[in-house]
């Protein structure tokens, strides 16, 4: 992107994406690259500043990741965070100590010398997470702050504009961390360009127009936030040359497809091709209970139906996809075998199969930024804040066989659950909440009658990115109301349980 920017070199920290997000939140554009980015490529990117991320290694470890050698002589301001600080020291003749006290959690930062990086911070609370620490200063550097356990907690070479901090300014618990990143970006790197949702929309509309020219574009609308915001942005860019196709899989939430159609009719003057695929999906899933097989059948059926639907737009040359930045950041070898979650490329292979070129306007955005773009474009707040929903839909929330009666049970239970969470004002505190239908029946008693009906699981988790998650401490009175309503209103469910497993060791979905 042709805008002033900061490049973050990733040394494998679990916080690297948070650094990029925090820098963008202060209105400065930032991109992440692997630690071994070449000097030539870095100079081509023309950044105004570089941040060296933290990482799990010790600088002395065999195969410890290092950046290219001349990085400190380019005249580009550098901020090293944690492992980044230790690299600055190690590569500039300082000493890193492995035996010093480890420090995890809150620490109190004491500023020793007025400096541009820590200028104007009001809170001294910083977040530490390190085993090694600096023993002696690198040549040309001075200490600017310390904590009780880290005599060298922040350093500078003011002349060369190279700074290092042992703590993590990017995490929430470093109270004035954003101010520190802002000082670096605005006052040390002198970045004046503003990265904002409005500027993104403006430049992206022009880019899309240049890229596709007079060609027509097809967009698969799943009903999720990403594809919906994408469709609205594309429509704003190329108007009627955009053709949206929505496939109702029959495995969506209650009245989902209808709500989506209403949303577009009421808020945007766009026509959408609605394909009712429920019969195809259900007949192909008949008798299938294995989760991965369910996913494969759904992926294939989706492609088949989409191809048929797209035939009427035979002038189309492009397929639009809502790929996000976390999907395209190159993974770094220092992370070791990277943590792989289930592969979710629901429509993978479509562009090649259909001979279409791919357009992915959100490749540089985080999810929160897509939401902000949606708001700016007039997508209603309730929609923009919706929880993520998996491509295979309720098929992976109905354990065992998928038959219309069980879809109906789950759709209604899920709708009650979500309605009550919204009523209790809890919806926005939760990353994902949904009901799951188990393939077992249990005994109950209603009135004088014995019942033998299905069990419904309620799941609610908090998370930042779906990679790790914690179960949400749902208030008992809310659970009680939901349980009563589900059992009273839905004949076929006589037991409701709440899932208290975090991820890991569990996954968010049950299949
Ligand atoms: P898990 O269950 O792997 O879920 O902890 C992590 C996140 O991914 C979503 N998910 C999927 N999304 N296709 C999707 O589009 C899938 O097959 C799929 N499986 C899980 C899940 O809802 C959660 O947000």
């Amino acid at each position: 992107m042709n805008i002033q920017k900061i490049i973050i070199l990733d040394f494998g920290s679990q916080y690297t994406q948070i650094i990029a997000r925090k820098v963008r939140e202060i209105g400065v554009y930032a991109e992440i690259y692997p630690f071994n980015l070449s000097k030539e490529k870095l100079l081509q990117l023309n950044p105004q500043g570089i941040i060296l991320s933290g990482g799990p290694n010790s600088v002395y470890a065999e195969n410890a990741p290092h950046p290219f050698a001349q990085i400190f002589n380019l005249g580009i301001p550098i901020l090293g965070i944690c492992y980044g600080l230790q690299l600055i020291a190690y590569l500039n003749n300082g000493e890193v100590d492995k035996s010093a006290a480890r420090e995890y959690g809150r620490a109190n930062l004491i500023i020793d010398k007025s400096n541009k990086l820590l200028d104007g911070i009001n809170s001294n609370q910083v977040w530490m997470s390190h085993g090694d620490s600096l023993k002696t200063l690198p040549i040309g550097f001075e200490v600017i702050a310390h904590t009780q356990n880290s005599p060298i907690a922040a350093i500078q070479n003011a002349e060369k504009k190279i700074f290092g901090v042992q703590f993590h300014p990017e995490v929430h618990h470093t109270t004035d961390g954003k101010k520190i990143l802002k000082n670096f970006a605005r006052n040390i790197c002198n970045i004046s360009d503003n990265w904002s949702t409005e500027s993104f929309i403006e430049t992206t509309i022009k880019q899309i127009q240049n890229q596709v020219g007079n060609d027509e574009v097809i967009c698969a609308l799943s009903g999720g936030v990403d594809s919906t915001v994408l469709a609205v942005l594309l429509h704003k860019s190329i108007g009627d040359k955009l053709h949206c196709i929505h496939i109702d899989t029959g495995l969506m939430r209650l009245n989902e497809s209808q709500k989506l159609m209403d949303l577009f009719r009421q808020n945007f003057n766009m026509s959408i091709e609605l394909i009712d695929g429920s019969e195809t999906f259900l007949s192909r899933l008949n008798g299938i209970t294995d989760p991965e097989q369910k996913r494969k059948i759904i992926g294939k059926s989706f492609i088949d139906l989409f191809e048929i639907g797209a035939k009427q737009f035979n002038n189309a040359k492009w397929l639009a996809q809502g790929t996000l930045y976390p999907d395209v950041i190159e993974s770094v070898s220092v992370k070791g075998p990277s943590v792989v979650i289930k592969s979710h490329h629901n429509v993978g292979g479509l562009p090649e199969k259909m001979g279409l070129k791919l357009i992915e306007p959100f490749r540089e955005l985080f999810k929160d930024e897509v939401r902000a773009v949606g708001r700016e474009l007039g997508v209603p707040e309730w929609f923009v804040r919706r929880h993520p929903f998996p491509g295979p839909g309720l098929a992976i929330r109905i354990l065992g066989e998928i038959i219309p009666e069980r879809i109906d049970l789950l759709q209604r239970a899920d709708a009650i659950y979500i309605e009550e969470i919204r009523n209790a004002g809890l919806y926005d505190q939760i990353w994902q909440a949904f009901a799951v239908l188990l393939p077992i029946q249990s005994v109950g008693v209603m009135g004088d009658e014995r019942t033998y009906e299905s069990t419904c699981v309620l799941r609610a988790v908090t998370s930042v990115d779906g990679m790790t998650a914690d179960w949400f401490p749902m208030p008992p009175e809310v659970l009680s109301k939901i349980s009563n309503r589900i059992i009273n209103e839905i004949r076929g469910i006589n037991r409701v349980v709440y899932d208290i497993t975090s991820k890991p060791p569990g996954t968010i979905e049950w299949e």
Side-chain angles (χ1 to χ4, degrees):
M1 187 155 294
N2 196 13
I3 178 175
Q4 290 181 311
K5 64 175 96 51
I6 284 186
I7 294 299
I8 299 159
L9 293 188
D10 181 16
F11 292 89
S13 166
Q14 53 178 330
Y15 301 134
T16 304
Q17 287 196 24
I18 302 180
I19 304 175
R21 278 158 54 176
K22 281 283 152 77
V23 173
R24 289 190 189 184
E25 275 173 30
I26 56 178
V28 171
Y29 187 64
E31 279 181 358
I32 300 171
Y33 286 89
F35 70 90
N36 54 3
L37 184 74
S38 70
K39 179 177 162 193
E40 293 66 40
K41 176 77 184 154
L42 182 103
L43 291 176
Q44 228 174 42
L45 291 165
N46 189 24
Q48 280 57 48
I50 300 169
I51 294 181
L52 311 177
S53 85
N57 293 73
S58 160
V59 285
Y60 294 113
E62 206 182 321
N63 299 327
H66 288 180
F68 60 86
Q70 304 94 349
I71 194 162
F72 300 109
N73 299 322
L74 300 174
I76 303 174
I78 293 179
L79 172 63
I81 295 176
C82 197
Y83 179 81
L85 161 82
Q86 292 161 17
L87 272 176
I88 294 175
Y90 180 71
L91 299 173
N92 292 281
N93 295 313
E95 243 184 301
V96 178
D97 191 358
K98 287 159 73 162
S99 58
R102 297 189 305 176
E103 220 180 352
Y104 291 94
R106 280 186 187 79
N108 194 27
L109 190 75
I110 297 155
I111 297 179
D112 300 310
K113 183 174 185 351
S114 87
N115 65 87
K116 277 188 161 181
L117 186 70
L118 305 173
D119 187 35
I121 62 170
N122 293 315
S123 162
N124 291 337
Q125 178 181 298
V126 296
W127 194 256
M128 292 284 191
S129 176
H130 64 104
D132 298 0
S133 46
L134 252 58
K135 191 170 171 189
T136 60
L137 279 171
I139 293 171
F141 284 77
E142 59 186 338
V143 180
I144 53 175
H146 71 275
T147 65
Q148 195 179 357
N149 285 330
S150 295
I152 308 180
I155 62 170
Q156 71 169 3
N157 179 329
E159 197 189 322
K160 289 180 93 172
K161 297 190 175 179
I162 301 177
F163 295 78
V165 289
Q166 185 59 75
F167 58 89
H168 288 270
E170 70 276 22
V171 307
H172 176 69
H173 289 97
T174 297
T175 320
D176 264 347
K178 241 178 171 177
K179 170 82 181 144
I180 296 171
L181 293 172
K182 189 171 178 182
N183 282 343
F184 178 66
R186 297 285 187 209
N187 303 338
I188 295 167
C189 305
N190 292 323
I191 293 182
S192 54
D193 280 2
N194 277 319
W195 159 257
S196 66
T197 310
E198 300 94 80
S199 62
F200 170 83
I201 294 174
E202 211 177 291
T203 32
T204 308
I205 286 178
K206 284 192 200 121
Q207 270 169 9
I208 294 171
Q209 288 166 344
N210 287 339
Q211 197 174 355
V212 306
N214 279 322
D215 295 346
E216 295 183 8
V217 180
I218 309 182
C219 176
L221 252 190
S222 70
V225 175
D226 303 339
S227 65
T228 299
V229 177
L230 177 65
V232 175
L233 180 67
L234 282 164
H235 189 248
K236 212 170 153 66
S237 313
I238 58 169
D240 291 346
K241 281 180 286 180
L242 172 71
H243 306 292
C244 289
I245 298 177
H246 171 68
I247 298 176
D248 181 356
T249 58
L251 298 159
M252 320 275 291
R253 286 171 285 207
L254 191 66
N255 303 328
E256 179 90 2
S257 293
Q258 198 45 53
K259 281 189 202 156
L260 188 71
M261 294 296 137
D262 291 348
L263 175 91
F264 276 91
R265 217 185 3 255
Q266 285 161 12
N267 296 276
F268 310 101
N269 187 20
M270 279 170 69
S271 76
I272 294 163
E273 179 71 18
L274 171 67
I275 298 176
D276 182 359
S278 42
E279 259 178 43
T280 309
F281 282 89
L282 284 191
S283 62
R284 292 188 186 180
L285 285 166
N286 188 20
I288 304 294
T289 54
D290 176 73
E292 284 311 304
Q293 231 183 321
K294 285 182 185 174
R295 279 195 171 79
K296 282 207 185 94
I297 290 172
I298 290 169
K300 165 95 174 52
S301 308
F302 192 92
I303 292 180
D304 291 349
L305 290 179
F306 191 81
E307 264 191 295
I308 295 170
K311 281 223 169 83
Q312 59 185 307
F313 309 120
N314 52 11
N315 285 331
K317 300 257 186 324
W318 298 84
L319 179 73
Q321 266 184 10
T323 315
L324 301 189
Y325 194 42
D327 303 326
V328 297
I329 297 173
E330 270 182 72
S331 61
V332 200
S333 58
V334 290
K335 281 181 184 157
S338 60
V339 198
V340 180
I341 47 171
K342 295 164 210 162
S343 147
H344 302 159
H345 295 284
N346 304 313
V347 290
L350 243 185
E352 299 83 2
K353 192 150 189 260
M354 297 174 66
L356 294 171
K357 290 178 277 184
L358 201 56
I359 177 167
E360 300 175 303
F362 295 160
R363 275 179 75 86
E364 284 151 355
L365 296 194
F366 289 108
K367 185 102 186 170
D368 288 350
E369 293 172 322
V370 173
R371 292 200 163 106
V373 169
R375 279 189 195 103
E376 189 67 29
L377 292 172
V379 180
E381 191 62 27
W382 68 267
F383 191 90
V384 159
R385 284 174 175 269
R386 283 203 328 169
H387 295 167
F389 186 67
L394 301 185
I396 55 168
R397 293 178 179 172
I398 296 173
L399 275 64
E401 236 184 301
I402 299 159
I403 50 172
E405 294 74 23
R406 303 191 75 215
I407 298 175
D408 175 63
L409 282 186
L410 183 59
Q411 279 180 332
R412 288 192 291 139
D414 190 73
I416 292 173
Y417 183 29
I418 299 300
E419 188 181 317
E420 288 302 331
I421 289 175
R422 282 195 190 275
N423 288 345
L426 299 172
Y427 187 83
D428 291 338
Q429 295 175 33
I430 298 169
W431 160 267
Q432 237 175 332
F434 54 89
V436 176
L437 196 66
L438 297 190
I440 53 160
Q441 301 209 301
S442 75
V443 176
V445 53
M446 287 172 108
D448 288 334
E449 266 180 59
R450 174 187 183 276
T451 58
Y452 189 58
E453 294 178 350
S454 291
T455 302
C456 165
V457 178
L458 305 179
R459 179 95 166 119
V461 296
T462 54
S463 176
V464 181
D465 50 14
M467 304 275 279
T468 58
D470 213 348
W471 60 276
F472 180 73
M474 188 77 69
E477 61 279 10
V478 179
L479 282 174
S480 159
K481 190 159 184 208
I482 296 165
S483 158
N484 273 340
R485 276 198 61 193
I486 290 179
I487 293 174
N488 287 339
E489 293 175 31
I490 304 177
R491 193 174 285 259
I493 295 179
N494 69 349
R495 194 175 291 270
V496 174
V497 300
Y498 191 61
D499 181 353
I500 52 165
T501 322
S502 48
K503 172 184 178 177
T507 50
I508 296 177
E509 303 290 346
W510 271 54
E511 284 196 334

